[in-house]
Amino acid sequence: MNTIFIGGSRHVSRLPAEVKKRLDNVIASHHQVIVGDANGADKAVQKHFADASYAKVTVFCSGDTPRNNLGSWNTHRVDVPKGTKGFQFYAAKDREMAREADFGLMIWDGKSPGTVLNVLRLIQAGKISVLFNVPDKAAVNVKTVEQYRDFLQRCDPAFRGDLRERATSQEWSLIETDPQPSLLNHEPGIASNAAVATETPPAPPTDESVQTLNAALASGDATRIMNIVGEIARDRGMSKVARDTGLARESLYRSLDAGGNPEFVTVIKVLSSLGVRLEAKPRDPSAQLQIAGG
């Protein structure tokens, strides 16, 4: 008996006949199933097993309570580090399932980066995956990193960029440590190590931007300061800032938007990416804290 990690895209609410046949084979083979709790493919898979009164299912969830558990099966609650939000909050359970499974079946809408990222996690754990493309009604068996790279080469560059931004540096290291420098080294954010080494660094912020940020810092208004930092980061390109800092782009947008409350270490990382540094000076009537171009 094997453990099968079954997951998929939230936009897949109906399972194709081919996928249902594979699920029926899982039942006939008495395999253990682990599945997430999201709407879409997770919920559709749960319904198929619940309708079949299949008991060998465990529902994984991030946090205390699963969003869906149609068969009242056992649940596996994954502890998530405090402060983790959004995509990374729910990704915690996916990483745990990839470690627990022997094989993976991913049901893909042709667009969702999270589903394809789960294939990478399974490969990283030494597991084989079947990626079923619902729009194309085609299944791809992915057994090796090379097969995964070949698959990514056929994907849209924007999709590969989105995938890179959602992956952790450890997950993406399998892709970037490519012995063939021609692979994935022409797309921003998906360059090989050799390409990164020769990448031209972005220009430093303008004197006007630095002066505006200095004025905001001198005002002591935290909201104004973060608004200015956010504006400079968006001008630079949030994807670039995310790569430099190792932080998720979505998290950066939230932190640097109006009303955001980023940790100080996040602010320092962002400023470093922007090419500026904080400089403390003794208090005097004209200046308290300034920022210098770096």
Side-chain angles (χ1 to χ4, degrees):
M1 180 181 70
N2 292 306
T3 298
I4 315 297
F5 170 17
I6 305 177
S9 307
R10 286 179 294 177
H11 294 293
V12 177
S13 57
R14 295 184 179 181
L15 300 178
E18 175 61 26
V19 171
K20 291 182 178 180
K21 289 179 181 178
R22 291 175 184 268
L23 299 185
D24 289 339
N25 289 337
V26 169
I27 294 172
S29 300
H30 305 288
H31 292 312
Q32 179 67 42
V33 173
I34 55 179
V35 63
D37 65 328
N39 292 321
D42 285 354
K43 188 175 182 179
V45 168
Q46 287 191 22
K47 184 178 186 305
H48 187 89
F49 286 123
D51 289 346
S53 299
Y54 192 61
K56 295 182 178 181
V57 177
T58 301
V59 177
F60 278 58
C61 64
S62 296
D64 295 330
T65 306
R67 293 165 288 180
N68 293 290
N69 186 351
L70 303 187
S72 298
W73 298 290
N74 291 332
T75 58
H76 182 108
R77 298 174 178 84
V78 177
D79 292 331
V80 182
K82 185 178 180 180
T84 305
K85 299 179 181 179
F87 175 83
Q88 294 302 332
F89 178 83
Y90 294 109
K93 65 175 173 51
D94 295 330
R95 296 187 180 100
E96 185 74 13
M97 285 190 281
R99 288 190 290 266
E100 293 287 334
D102 297 305
F103 300 95
L105 171 60
M106 296 296 121
I107 307 162
W108 189 40
D109 63 356
K111 301 177 181 179
S112 165
T115 303
V116 175
L117 187 53
N118 278 335
V119 175
L120 178 59
R121 291 169 180 144
L122 285 157
I123 292 173
Q124 188 177 39
K127 318 294 175 58
I128 297 172
S129 297
V130 175
L131 180 66
F132 189 89
N133 188 326
V134 173
D136 293 345
K137 299 181 180 180
V140 178
N141 293 328
V142 185
K143 302 178 180 179
T144 65
V145 176
E146 289 72 21
Q147 289 175 332
Y148 191 83
R149 293 189 185 116
D150 289 343
F151 167 78
L152 288 187
Q153 282 292 91
R154 298 191 295 271
C155 293
D156 182 83
F159 173 82
R160 297 200 297 267
D162 198 6
L163 190 72
R164 170 63 185 89
E165 290 172 4
R166 290 173 179 260
T168 65
S169 57
Q170 183 181 15
E171 289 166 345
W172 199 254
S173 65
L174 285 177
I175 305 303
E176 290 189 327
T177 54
D178 185 356
Q180 300 294 328
S182 62
L183 290 181
L184 303 179
N185 65 350
H186 298 299
E187 298 299 334
I190 318 178
S192 68
N193 289 340
V196 170
T198 59
E199 182 181 341
T200 301
T206 63
D207 290 342
E208 181 181 358
S209 296
V210 173
Q211 291 172 3
T212 301
L213 185 52
N214 270 328
L217 287 166
S219 73
D221 185 333
T223 299
R224 179 183 173 189
I225 293 168
M226 294 321 305
N227 283 343
I228 298 301
V229 173
E231 288 177 6
I232 299 174
R234 284 186 286 272
D235 288 342
R236 173 63 54 92
M238 203 65 82
S239 295
K240 174 66 170 62
V241 176
R243 291 197 302 273
D244 289 346
T245 60
L247 302 170
R249 186 180 64 172
E250 294 87 349
S251 175
L252 285 172
Y253 272 116
R254 287 193 300 270
S255 296
L256 302 179
D257 276 348
N261 186 26
E263 295 181 354
F264 185 67
V265 66
T266 298
V267 176
I268 294 299
K269 287 181 178 180
V270 170
L271 292 176
S272 177
S273 170
L274 299 179
V276 296
R277 69 177 186 271
L278 287 175
E279 179 179 314
K281 292 186 176 181
R283 184 190 298 271
D284 62 49
S286 61
Q288 297 181 17
L289 186 64
Q290 292 188 350
I291 191 164

